[in-house]
PDB file of all heavy atoms in Angstrom:
ATOM      1  N   ASP A1058      -1.599  17.197   6.707  1.00  0.00           N
ATOM      2  CA  ASP A1058      -2.203  17.590   7.982  1.00  0.00           C
ATOM      3  C   ASP A1058      -2.841  16.415   8.714  1.00  0.00           C
ATOM      4  O   ASP A1058      -3.522  16.610   9.732  1.00  0.00           O
ATOM      5  CB  ASP A1058      -3.267  18.673   7.743  1.00  0.00           C
ATOM      6  CG  ASP A1058      -2.663  19.965   7.205  1.00  0.00           C
ATOM      7  OD1 ASP A1058      -1.524  20.287   7.601  1.00  0.00           O
ATOM      8  OD2 ASP A1058      -3.318  20.630   6.377  1.00  0.00           O
ATOM      9  N   GLN A1059      -2.623  15.207   8.189  1.00  0.00           N
ATOM     10  CA  GLN A1059      -3.222  14.025   8.800  1.00  0.00           C
ATOM     11  C   GLN A1059      -2.313  13.482   9.895  1.00  0.00           C
ATOM     12  O   GLN A1059      -1.093  13.489   9.772  1.00  0.00           O
ATOM     13  CB  GLN A1059      -3.443  12.937   7.745  1.00  0.00           C
ATOM     14  CG  GLN A1059      -4.330  13.361   6.590  1.00  0.00           C
ATOM     15  CD  GLN A1059      -5.787  13.453   6.980  1.00  0.00           C
ATOM     16  OE1 GLN A1059      -6.222  12.885   7.968  1.00  0.00           O
ATOM     17  NE2 GLN A1059      -6.561  14.168   6.181  1.00  0.00           N
ATOM     18  N   SER A1060      -2.915  13.006  10.970  1.00  0.00           N
ATOM     19  CA  SER A1060      -2.141  12.367  12.036  1.00  0.00           C
ATOM     20  C   SER A1060      -1.793  10.939  11.634  1.00  0.00           C
ATOM     21  O   SER A1060      -2.323  10.405  10.652  1.00  0.00           O
ATOM     22  CB  SER A1060      -2.948  12.363  13.334  1.00  0.00           C
ATOM     23  OG  SER A1060      -4.150  11.624  13.168  1.00  0.00           O
ATOM     24  N   GLY A1061      -0.918  10.318  12.375  1.00  0.00           N
ATOM     25  CA  GLY A1061      -0.563   8.929  12.125  1.00  0.00           C
ATOM     26  C   GLY A1061       0.561   8.762  11.124  1.00  0.00           C
ATOM     27  O   GLY A1061       1.129   9.736  10.616  1.00  0.00           O
ATOM     28  N   GLU A1062       0.863   7.508  10.839  1.00  0.00           N
ATOM     29  CA  GLU A1062       1.954   7.161   9.930  1.00  0.00           C
ATOM     30  C   GLU A1062       1.414   6.928   8.528  1.00  0.00           C
ATOM     31  O   GLU A1062       0.486   6.147   8.336  1.00  0.00           O
ATOM     32  CB  GLU A1062       2.684   5.913  10.416  1.00  0.00           C
ATOM     33  CG  GLU A1062       3.355   6.072  11.763  1.00  0.00           C
ATOM     34  CD  GLU A1062       4.137   4.842  12.141  1.00  0.00           C
ATOM     35  OE1 GLU A1062       5.149   4.540  11.469  1.00  0.00           O
ATOM     36  OE2 GLU A1062       3.734   4.164  13.102  1.00  0.00           O
ATOM     37  N   HIS A1063       2.037   7.597   7.554  1.00  0.00           N
ATOM     38  CA  HIS A1063       1.607   7.477   6.163  1.00  0.00           C
ATOM     39  C   HIS A1063       2.811   7.148   5.283  1.00  0.00           C
ATOM     40  O   HIS A1063       3.868   7.761   5.409  1.00  0.00           O
ATOM     41  CB  HIS A1063       0.979   8.784   5.677  1.00  0.00           C
ATOM     42  CG  HIS A1063      -0.304   9.125   6.369  1.00  0.00           C
ATOM     43  ND1 HIS A1063      -1.541   8.838   5.821  1.00  0.00           N
ATOM     44  CD2 HIS A1063      -0.545   9.702   7.571  1.00  0.00           C
ATOM     45  CE1 HIS A1063      -2.489   9.240   6.657  1.00  0.00           C
ATOM     46  NE2 HIS A1063      -1.913   9.772   7.718  1.00  0.00           N
ATOM     47  N   LEU A1064       2.626   6.174   4.392  1.00  0.00           N
ATOM     48  CA  LEU A1064       3.674   5.782   3.454  1.00  0.00           C
ATOM     49  C   LEU A1064       3.102   5.757   2.042  1.00  0.00           C
ATOM     50  O   LEU A1064       1.918   5.453   1.836  1.00  0.00           O
ATOM     51  CB  LEU A1064       4.247   4.407   3.804  1.00  0.00           C
ATOM     52  CG  LEU A1064       5.024   4.310   5.124  1.00  0.00           C
ATOM     53  CD1 LEU A1064       5.408   2.855   5.390  1.00  0.00           C
ATOM     54  CD2 LEU A1064       6.262   5.187   5.098  1.00  0.00           C
ATOM     55  N   PHE A1065       3.950   6.037   1.088  1.00  0.00           N
ATOM     56  CA  PHE A1065       3.568   6.067  -0.322  1.00  0.00           C
ATOM     57  C   PHE A1065       4.368   5.017  -1.072  1.00  0.00           C
ATOM     58  O   PHE A1065       5.585   4.935  -0.939  1.00  0.00           O
ATOM     59  CB  PHE A1065       3.864   7.454  -0.904  1.00  0.00           C
ATOM     60  CG  PHE A1065       3.556   7.599  -2.375  1.00  0.00           C
ATOM     61  CD1 PHE A1065       2.298   7.994  -2.791  1.00  0.00           C
ATOM     62  CD2 PHE A1065       4.532   7.365  -3.326  1.00  0.00           C
ATOM     63  CE1 PHE A1065       2.009   8.146  -4.145  1.00  0.00           C
ATOM     64  CE2 PHE A1065       4.257   7.513  -4.677  1.00  0.00           C
ATOM     65  CZ  PHE A1065       2.994   7.906  -5.089  1.00  0.00           C
ATOM     66  N   THR A1066       3.683   4.165  -1.840  1.00  0.00           N
ATOM     67  CA  THR A1066       4.376   3.184  -2.673  1.00  0.00           C
ATOM     68  C   THR A1066       4.074   3.490  -4.131  1.00  0.00           C
ATOM     69  O   THR A1066       2.917   3.723  -4.499  1.00  0.00           O
ATOM     70  CB  THR A1066       3.940   1.742  -2.343  1.00  0.00           C
ATOM     71  OG1 THR A1066       2.523   1.635  -2.464  1.00  0.00           O
ATOM     72  CG2 THR A1066       4.349   1.365  -0.934  1.00  0.00           C
ATOM     73  N   SER A1067       5.090   3.512  -4.955  1.00  0.00           N
ATOM     74  CA  SER A1067       4.933   3.905  -6.352  1.00  0.00           C
ATOM     75  C   SER A1067       4.661   2.709  -7.241  1.00  0.00           C
ATOM     76  O   SER A1067       4.867   1.559  -6.859  1.00  0.00           O
ATOM     77  CB  SER A1067       6.190   4.621  -6.843  1.00  0.00           C
ATOM     78  OG  SER A1067       7.280   3.723  -6.876  1.00  0.00           O
ATOM     79  N   ARG A1068       4.217   2.988  -8.461  1.00  0.00           N
ATOM     80  CA  ARG A1068       3.931   1.910  -9.415  1.00  0.00           C
ATOM     81  C   ARG A1068       5.183   1.126  -9.761  1.00  0.00           C
ATOM     82  O   ARG A1068       5.120  -0.069 -10.032  1.00  0.00           O
ATOM     83  CB  ARG A1068       3.332   2.514 -10.682  1.00  0.00           C
ATOM     84  CG  ARG A1068       1.953   3.113 -10.477  1.00  0.00           C
ATOM     85  CD  ARG A1068       1.402   3.702 -11.754  1.00  0.00           C
ATOM     86  NE  ARG A1068       0.084   4.289 -11.539  1.00  0.00           N
ATOM     87  CZ  ARG A1068      -0.621   4.873 -12.489  1.00  0.00           C
ATOM     88  NH1 ARG A1068      -0.154   4.947 -13.710  1.00  0.00           N
ATOM     89  NH2 ARG A1068      -1.807   5.385 -12.218  1.00  0.00           N
ATOM     90  N   SER A1069       6.335   1.788  -9.771  1.00  0.00           N
ATOM     91  CA  SER A1069       7.580   1.099 -10.136  1.00  0.00           C
ATOM     92  C   SER A1069       7.957   0.039  -9.115  1.00  0.00           C
ATOM     93  O   SER A1069       8.704  -0.880  -9.407  1.00  0.00           O
ATOM     94  CB  SER A1069       8.723   2.111 -10.274  1.00  0.00           C
ATOM     95  OG  SER A1069       8.940   2.786  -9.044  1.00  0.00           O
ATOM     96  N   ASP A1070       7.409   0.169  -7.891  1.00  0.00           N
ATOM     97  CA  ASP A1070       7.705  -0.801  -6.845  1.00  0.00           C
ATOM     98  C   ASP A1070       6.594  -1.826  -6.684  1.00  0.00           C
ATOM     99  O   ASP A1070       6.578  -2.578  -5.718  1.00  0.00           O
ATOM    100  CB  ASP A1070       7.893  -0.086  -5.493  1.00  0.00           C
ATOM    101  CG  ASP A1070       9.029   0.904  -5.531  1.00  0.00           C
ATOM    102  OD1 ASP A1070      10.008   0.626  -6.239  1.00  0.00           O
ATOM    103  OD2 ASP A1070       8.938   1.948  -4.861  1.00  0.00           O
ATOM    104  N   ALA A1071       5.653  -1.859  -7.641  1.00  0.00           N
ATOM    105  CA  ALA A1071       4.408  -2.594  -7.435  1.00  0.00           C
ATOM    106  C   ALA A1071       4.613  -4.050  -7.051  1.00  0.00           C
ATOM    107  O   ALA A1071       4.015  -4.549  -6.110  1.00  0.00           O
ATOM    108  CB  ALA A1071       3.531  -2.508  -8.687  1.00  0.00           C
ATOM    109  N   ARG A1072       5.469  -4.773  -7.779  1.00  0.00           N
ATOM    110  CA  ARG A1072       5.593  -6.213  -7.553  1.00  0.00           C
ATOM    111  C   ARG A1072       6.229  -6.542  -6.210  1.00  0.00           C
ATOM    112  O   ARG A1072       5.971  -7.600  -5.630  1.00  0.00           O
ATOM    113  CB  ARG A1072       6.421  -6.830  -8.689  1.00  0.00           C
ATOM    114  CG  ARG A1072       6.306  -8.350  -8.789  1.00  0.00           C
ATOM    115  CD  ARG A1072       4.884  -8.781  -9.142  1.00  0.00           C
ATOM    116  NE  ARG A1072       4.794 -10.199  -9.405  1.00  0.00           N
ATOM    117  CZ  ARG A1072       3.679 -10.844  -9.684  1.00  0.00           C
ATOM    118  NH1 ARG A1072       2.554 -10.190  -9.745  1.00  0.00           N
ATOM    119  NH2 ARG A1072       3.683 -12.143  -9.917  1.00  0.00           N
ATOM    120  N   SER A1073       7.061  -5.635  -5.701  1.00  0.00           N
ATOM    121  CA  SER A1073       7.748  -5.904  -4.449  1.00  0.00           C
ATOM    122  C   SER A1073       7.124  -5.187  -3.263  1.00  0.00           C
ATOM    123  O   SER A1073       7.587  -5.321  -2.141  1.00  0.00           O
ATOM    124  CB  SER A1073       9.221  -5.482  -4.562  1.00  0.00           C
ATOM    125  OG  SER A1073       9.321  -4.102  -4.837  1.00  0.00           O
ATOM    126  N   SER A1074       6.049  -4.408  -3.486  1.00  0.00           N
ATOM    127  CA  SER A1074       5.464  -3.633  -2.408  1.00  0.00           C
ATOM    128  C   SER A1074       4.751  -4.535  -1.407  1.00  0.00           C
ATOM    129  O   SER A1074       4.393  -5.675  -1.697  1.00  0.00           O
ATOM    130  CB  SER A1074       4.479  -2.611  -2.970  1.00  0.00           C
ATOM    131  OG  SER A1074       3.289  -3.260  -3.381  1.00  0.00           O
ATOM    132  N   ILE A1075       4.524  -3.979  -0.215  1.00  0.00           N
ATOM    133  CA  ILE A1075       3.868  -4.751   0.826  1.00  0.00           C
ATOM    134  C   ILE A1075       2.454  -5.142   0.405  1.00  0.00           C
ATOM    135  O   ILE A1075       1.984  -6.242   0.695  1.00  0.00           O
ATOM    136  CB  ILE A1075       3.855  -3.961   2.158  1.00  0.00           C
ATOM    137  CG1 ILE A1075       3.247  -4.783   3.289  1.00  0.00           C
ATOM    138  CG2 ILE A1075       3.128  -2.640   2.000  1.00  0.00           C
ATOM    139  CD1 ILE A1075       4.059  -6.006   3.668  1.00  0.00           C
ATOM    140  N   GLY A1076       1.759  -4.257  -0.312  1.00  0.00           N
ATOM    141  CA  GLY A1076       0.415  -4.593  -0.773  1.00  0.00           C
ATOM    142  C   GLY A1076       0.404  -5.762  -1.722  1.00  0.00           C
ATOM    143  O   GLY A1076      -0.450  -6.650  -1.653  1.00  0.00           O
ATOM    144  N   GLU A1077       1.371  -5.792  -2.636  1.00  0.00           N
ATOM    145  CA  GLU A1077       1.451  -6.894  -3.588  1.00  0.00           C
ATOM    146  C   GLU A1077       1.854  -8.181  -2.882  1.00  0.00           C
ATOM    147  O   GLU A1077       1.324  -9.265  -3.159  1.00  0.00           O
ATOM    148  CB  GLU A1077       2.453  -6.550  -4.691  1.00  0.00           C
ATOM    149  CG  GLU A1077       2.491  -7.547  -5.831  1.00  0.00           C
ATOM    150  CD  GLU A1077       1.286  -7.450  -6.739  1.00  0.00           C
ATOM    151  OE1 GLU A1077       0.517  -6.484  -6.604  1.00  0.00           O
ATOM    152  OE2 GLU A1077       1.111  -8.352  -7.579  1.00  0.00           O
ATOM    153  N   ARG A1078       2.796  -8.081  -1.958  1.00  0.00           N
ATOM    154  CA  ARG A1078       3.248  -9.285  -1.245  1.00  0.00           C
ATOM    155  C   ARG A1078       2.140  -9.888  -0.391  1.00  0.00           C
ATOM    156  O   ARG A1078       2.136 -11.094  -0.146  1.00  0.00           O
ATOM    157  CB  ARG A1078       4.470  -8.956  -0.377  1.00  0.00           C
ATOM    158  CG  ARG A1078       5.743  -8.750  -1.190  1.00  0.00           C
ATOM    159  CD  ARG A1078       6.978  -8.686  -0.320  1.00  0.00           C
ATOM    160  NE  ARG A1078       7.097  -7.433   0.388  1.00  0.00           N
ATOM    161  CZ  ARG A1078       7.083  -7.315   1.718  1.00  0.00           C
ATOM    162  NH1 ARG A1078       6.912  -8.372   2.481  1.00  0.00           N
ATOM    163  NH2 ARG A1078       7.232  -6.128   2.290  1.00  0.00           N
ATOM    164  N   LEU A1079       1.212  -9.054   0.042  1.00  0.00           N
ATOM    165  CA  LEU A1079       0.097  -9.562   0.840  1.00  0.00           C
ATOM    166  C   LEU A1079      -1.152  -9.793  -0.004  1.00  0.00           C
ATOM    167  O   LEU A1079      -2.224 -10.055   0.533  1.00  0.00           O
ATOM    168  CB  LEU A1079      -0.217  -8.574   1.970  1.00  0.00           C
ATOM    169  CG  LEU A1079       0.844  -8.453   3.064  1.00  0.00           C
ATOM    170  CD1 LEU A1079       0.456  -7.377   4.073  1.00  0.00           C
ATOM    171  CD2 LEU A1079       1.067  -9.781   3.764  1.00  0.00           C
ATOM    172  N   ALA A1080      -1.005  -9.695  -1.329  1.00  0.00           N
ATOM    173  CA  ALA A1080      -2.101  -9.957  -2.263  1.00  0.00           C
ATOM    174  C   ALA A1080      -3.314  -9.071  -1.982  1.00  0.00           C
ATOM    175  O   ALA A1080      -4.456  -9.522  -2.031  1.00  0.00           O
ATOM    176  CB  ALA A1080      -2.505 -11.435  -2.223  1.00  0.00           C
ATOM    177  N   VAL A1081      -3.061  -7.796  -1.706  1.00  0.00           N
ATOM    178  CA  VAL A1081      -4.163  -6.847  -1.529  1.00  0.00           C
ATOM    179  C   VAL A1081      -4.751  -6.568  -2.904  1.00  0.00           C
ATOM    180  O   VAL A1081      -4.071  -6.067  -3.795  1.00  0.00           O
ATOM    181  CB  VAL A1081      -3.666  -5.549  -0.873  1.00  0.00           C
ATOM    182  CG1 VAL A1081      -4.782  -4.508  -0.842  1.00  0.00           C
ATOM    183  CG2 VAL A1081      -3.160  -5.830   0.535  1.00  0.00           C
ATOM    184  N   SER A1082      -6.018  -6.879  -3.078  1.00  0.00           N
ATOM    185  CA  SER A1082      -6.637  -6.783  -4.400  1.00  0.00           C
ATOM    186  C   SER A1082      -7.757  -5.762  -4.464  1.00  0.00           C
ATOM    187  O   SER A1082      -8.324  -5.517  -5.531  1.00  0.00           O
ATOM    188  CB  SER A1082      -7.177  -8.148  -4.828  1.00  0.00           C
ATOM    189  OG  SER A1082      -8.125  -8.620  -3.889  1.00  0.00           O
ATOM    190  N   SER A1083      -8.120  -5.165  -3.333  1.00  0.00           N
ATOM    191  CA  SER A1083      -9.188  -4.163  -3.334  1.00  0.00           C
ATOM    192  C   SER A1083      -8.854  -3.067  -2.341  1.00  0.00           C
ATOM    193  O   SER A1083      -8.074  -3.271  -1.403  1.00  0.00           O
ATOM    194  CB  SER A1083     -10.530  -4.814  -2.980  1.00  0.00           C
ATOM    195  OG  SER A1083     -10.487  -5.370  -1.676  1.00  0.00           O
ATOM    196  N   TYR A1084      -9.450  -1.902  -2.566  1.00  0.00           N
ATOM    197  CA  TYR A1084      -9.189  -0.743  -1.723  1.00  0.00           C
ATOM    198  C   TYR A1084     -10.518  -0.119  -1.296  1.00  0.00           C
ATOM    199  O   TYR A1084     -11.438  -0.055  -2.103  1.00  0.00           O
ATOM    200  CB  TYR A1084      -8.364   0.290  -2.491  1.00  0.00           C
ATOM    201  CG  TYR A1084      -6.979  -0.178  -2.850  1.00  0.00           C
ATOM    202  CD1 TYR A1084      -6.755  -0.977  -3.967  1.00  0.00           C
ATOM    203  CD2 TYR A1084      -5.891   0.179  -2.071  1.00  0.00           C
ATOM    204  CE1 TYR A1084      -5.488  -1.412  -4.294  1.00  0.00           C
ATOM    205  CE2 TYR A1084      -4.606  -0.239  -2.403  1.00  0.00           C
ATOM    206  CZ  TYR A1084      -4.408  -1.040  -3.510  1.00  0.00           C
ATOM    207  OH  TYR A1084      -3.151  -1.458  -3.834  1.00  0.00           O
ATOM    208  N   PRO A1085     -10.637   0.359  -0.044  1.00  0.00           N
ATOM    209  CA  PRO A1085      -9.652   0.185   1.015  1.00  0.00           C
ATOM    210  C   PRO A1085      -9.629  -1.254   1.517  1.00  0.00           C
ATOM    211  O   PRO A1085     -10.600  -1.996   1.361  1.00  0.00           O
ATOM    212  CB  PRO A1085     -10.137   1.141   2.108  1.00  0.00           C
ATOM    213  CG  PRO A1085     -11.623   1.190   1.902  1.00  0.00           C
ATOM    214  CD  PRO A1085     -11.835   1.094   0.431  1.00  0.00           C
ATOM    215  N   SER A1086      -8.513  -1.620   2.101  1.00  0.00           N
ATOM    216  CA  SER A1086      -8.347  -2.968   2.623  1.00  0.00           C
ATOM    217  C   SER A1086      -7.449  -2.893   3.852  1.00  0.00           C
ATOM    218  O   SER A1086      -6.611  -1.994   3.962  1.00  0.00           O
ATOM    219  CB  SER A1086      -7.725  -3.876   1.557  1.00  0.00           C
ATOM    220  OG  SER A1086      -7.692  -5.212   1.977  1.00  0.00           O
ATOM    221  N   TYR A1087      -7.630  -3.842   4.760  1.00  0.00           N
ATOM    222  CA  TYR A1087      -6.918  -3.788   6.035  1.00  0.00           C
ATOM    223  C   TYR A1087      -6.342  -5.165   6.369  1.00  0.00           C
ATOM    224  O   TYR A1087      -7.003  -6.187   6.183  1.00  0.00           O
ATOM    225  CB  TYR A1087      -7.857  -3.351   7.168  1.00  0.00           C
ATOM    226  CG  TYR A1087      -8.630  -2.096   6.855  1.00  0.00           C
ATOM    227  CD1 TYR A1087      -9.852  -2.165   6.173  1.00  0.00           C
ATOM    228  CD2 TYR A1087      -8.149  -0.848   7.214  1.00  0.00           C
ATOM    229  CE1 TYR A1087     -10.570  -1.022   5.859  1.00  0.00           C
ATOM    230  CE2 TYR A1087      -8.858   0.307   6.903  1.00  0.00           C
ATOM    231  CZ  TYR A1087     -10.064   0.210   6.228  1.00  0.00           C
ATOM    232  OH  TYR A1087     -10.765   1.341   5.918  1.00  0.00           O
ATOM    233  N   VAL A1088      -5.113  -5.170   6.862  1.00  0.00           N
ATOM    234  CA  VAL A1088      -4.482  -6.399   7.345  1.00  0.00           C
ATOM    235  C   VAL A1088      -4.125  -6.181   8.806  1.00  0.00           C
ATOM    236  O   VAL A1088      -3.428  -5.212   9.147  1.00  0.00           O
ATOM    237  CB  VAL A1088      -3.226  -6.755   6.531  1.00  0.00           C
ATOM    238  CG1 VAL A1088      -2.557  -8.005   7.109  1.00  0.00           C
ATOM    239  CG2 VAL A1088      -3.584  -6.979   5.063  1.00  0.00           C
TER     240      VAL A1088
END
């Protein structure tokens, strides 16, 4: 029921995910 764009990344994709590629190390975090 949330507005906006939402994406889900799984643990199996961890090393190649956008968060990993941008070295996101804490949550919440914003780029």
Side-chain angles (χ1 to χ4, degrees):
D1058 295 326
Q1059 302 287 340
S1060 61
E1062 297 184 67
H1063 294 262
L1064 294 175
F1065 178 89
T1066 55
S1067 67
R1068 292 180 181 180
S1069 61
D1070 300 326
R1072 196 64 173 177
S1073 60
S1074 74
I1075 183 66
E1077 187 74 10
R1078 287 191 285 117
L1079 292 176
V1081 173
S1082 59
S1083 62
Y1084 295 82
S1086 187
Y1087 309 87
V1088 177

